[in-house]
């Protein structure tokens, strides 16, 4: 199953509020968008970084597949969201761990146009310099997660960083056909692979990459080598779960529903169902790159199912 990225339904930004005063219409300036949020992982300093936002219609083929759209709409509306579409944030994570500066995924870069690719601006707003990033951990090779590895000019966006990617995922990306690349949101895959090749260090799924700091956690089904990452050590850990879950409502409350984004929808659904049950049972603190910004929270058991409970960071 393939996905066409980007879609015409993607949206980003907000409209100005017009206020009529007699014959004069005044435009109230929109509040500035929050582009980063600081928080802690034990002794580590972390930043949720807003790269953009996207939408998919609830049409039975763009995201959830195999379920009546009315049932999907009801699930969305029960969670306080519109029933006609899905809303996904895009937010890489930056972590200062001792002398290392760690980035988890790199956003969309120029792959999706103006709706995303705001990671450089978010880093600047937070006072972070891309040259200081030492390690980048890639969950998987979709355009909204790896596009930001390169600049619009085609150079390395993080020139001093080692790029960690599971060996199956790197094999898939480096041998990806132009058609597959287009379907997963990477319009210039040959140029991307050539630019990052010398920086990529493949690892075996589940590897302890930085002992006591970052451990890979394979979650199968989304792509051939999709990997989550557990950051920190007990009792202060955070699991960055990549695209194991996308929607803070549907993916959590209906994890067995299949989605179009998964390379193997059946395995993806089984992995999602197991992950939701496990993190709810253990109380694992989570970071989502697609749930509402800033994406930090937990999944908890609720009545007959599960719900996402965002963490208050302010």
């Amino acid at each position: 199953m393939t996905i066409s990225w980007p879609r015409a339904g993607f949206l980003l930004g907000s409209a100005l509020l017009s206020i009529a005063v007699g014959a004069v219409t005044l435009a109230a300036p929109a509040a500035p968008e929050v582009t980063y949020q600081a928080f802690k992982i034990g002794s580590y300093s972390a930043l949720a970084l807003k790269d953009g936002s996207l939408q998919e219609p609830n049409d039975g083929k763009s995201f959830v597949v195999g379920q009546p759209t009315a049932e999907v709409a009801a699930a969305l509306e029960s969670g306080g969201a519109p029933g006609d579409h899905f809303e996904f944030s895009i937010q890489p994570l930056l972590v200062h761990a001792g002398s290392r500066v760690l980035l988890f995924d790199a956003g969309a870069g120029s792959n999706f146009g103006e709706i995303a690719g705001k990671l450089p601006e978010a880093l600047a707003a937070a006072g972070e310099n891309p040259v200081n990033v030492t390690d980048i951990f890639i969950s998987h090779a979709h355009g909204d997660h790896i596009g930001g590895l390169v600049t619009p000019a085609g150079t390395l966006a993080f020139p001093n960083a080692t790029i960690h990617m599971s060996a199956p995922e790197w094999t898939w990306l480096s041998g990806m056909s132009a058609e597959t690349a287009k379907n997963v949101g990477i319009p210039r895959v040959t140029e991307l692979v050539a630019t990052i090749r010398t920086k990529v260090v493949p690892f075996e799924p589940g590897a302890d990459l930085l002992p006591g700091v970052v451990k890979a956690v394979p979650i199968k089904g989304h792509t051939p080598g999709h990997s989550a990452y557990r950051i920190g050590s007990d009792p202060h850990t955070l699991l960055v779960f990549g695209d194991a879950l996308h929607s803070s409502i549907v993916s959590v409350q209906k994890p067995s529903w299949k989605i179009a984004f998964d390379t193997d929808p059946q395995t993806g659904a089984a992995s999602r169902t197991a992950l939701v049950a496990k993190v709810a049972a253990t109380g694992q603190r989570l970071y989502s790159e697609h749930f509402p910004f800033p994406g930090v929270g937990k999944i908890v058991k609720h009545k007959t199912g599960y719900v996402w409970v965002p963490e208050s960071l302010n």
Side-chain angles (χ1 to χ4, degrees):
M1 184 174 294
T2 58
I3 326 157
S4 294
W5 297 75
R7 301 183 188 278
F10 289 159
L11 299 174
L12 178 66
S14 57
L16 294 177
L17 175 65
S18 295
I19 306 172
V21 181
V24 179
T25 299
L26 303 177
E33 183 179 14
V34 176
T35 58
Y36 69 93
Q37 174 65 59
F39 65 101
K40 301 288 284 187
I41 308 170
S43 62
Y44 302 158
S45 298
L47 289 168
L49 297 162
K50 185 74 170 181
D51 185 68
S53 299
L54 54 86
Q55 291 186 1
E56 290 287 353
N58 174 21
D59 59 5
K61 58 185 179 181
S62 299
F63 181 55
V64 172
V65 294
Q67 301 294 330
T69 56
E71 186 174 346
V72 177
L76 287 166
E77 290 166 357
S78 73
D84 64 341
H85 68 277
F86 302 91
E87 298 181 357
F88 307 118
S89 184
I90 305 174
Q91 52 219 16
L93 173 68
L94 188 82
V95 177
H96 285 265
S99 62
R100 292 182 180 267
V101 181
L102 317 176
L103 181 65
F104 294 84
D105 285 330
S110 59
N111 287 343
F112 291 172
E114 294 184 357
I115 64 165
K118 312 297 184 185
L119 179 59
E121 290 90 335
L123 285 165
E128 300 287 346
N129 192 327
V131 303
N132 294 332
V133 175
T134 59
D135 299 88
I136 303 173
F137 300 89
I138 297 297
S139 63
H140 66 291
H142 278 176
D144 54 329
H145 293 259
I146 64 172
L149 291 173
V150 298
T151 68
T155 61
L156 288 167
F158 304 91
N160 299 317
T162 297
I163 301 172
H164 305 271
M165 188 183 308
S166 79
E169 198 73 3
W170 175 240
T171 297
W172 183 56
L173 173 61
S174 57
M176 191 176 285
S177 69
E179 181 180 1
T180 298
K182 180 181 178 181
N183 287 332
V184 298
I186 313 173
R188 293 174 295 278
V189 68
T190 301
E191 294 87 342
L192 172 71
V193 169
T195 301
I196 68 173
R197 184 179 295 277
T198 60
K199 292 290 188 176
V200 174
V201 177
F203 62 82
E204 290 305 307
D208 199 0
L209 299 170
L210 300 177
V213 181
V214 179
K215 180 177 175 57
V217 180
I219 302 178
K220 297 181 179 180
H222 188 58
T223 59
H226 179 271
S227 184
Y229 296 97
R230 182 171 289 109
I231 306 168
S233 56
D234 290 333
H236 303 293
T237 65
L238 182 78
L239 181 68
V240 185
F241 54 73
D243 276 11
L245 304 100
H246 290 80
S247 167
S248 61
I249 301 170
V250 168
S251 299
V252 175
Q253 297 180 16
K254 304 289 185 180
S256 64
W257 285 1
K258 296 180 177 65
I259 66 167
F261 295 172
D262 287 343
T263 302
D264 182 342
Q266 184 170 346
T267 299
S271 294
R272 194 161 41 252
T273 300
L275 176 65
V276 167
K278 181 175 181 178
V279 298
T282 61
Q284 174 68 61
R285 193 184 188 205
L286 304 169
Y287 185 84
S288 169
E289 296 177 68
H290 290 308
F291 287 9
F293 185 83
V296 183
K298 293 184 178 182
I299 292 173
V300 301
K301 191 81 167 61
H302 179 70
K303 296 180 180 178
T304 59
Y306 300 93
V307 294
W308 168 250
V309 180
E311 186 175 321
S312 176
L313 300 175
N314 295 317

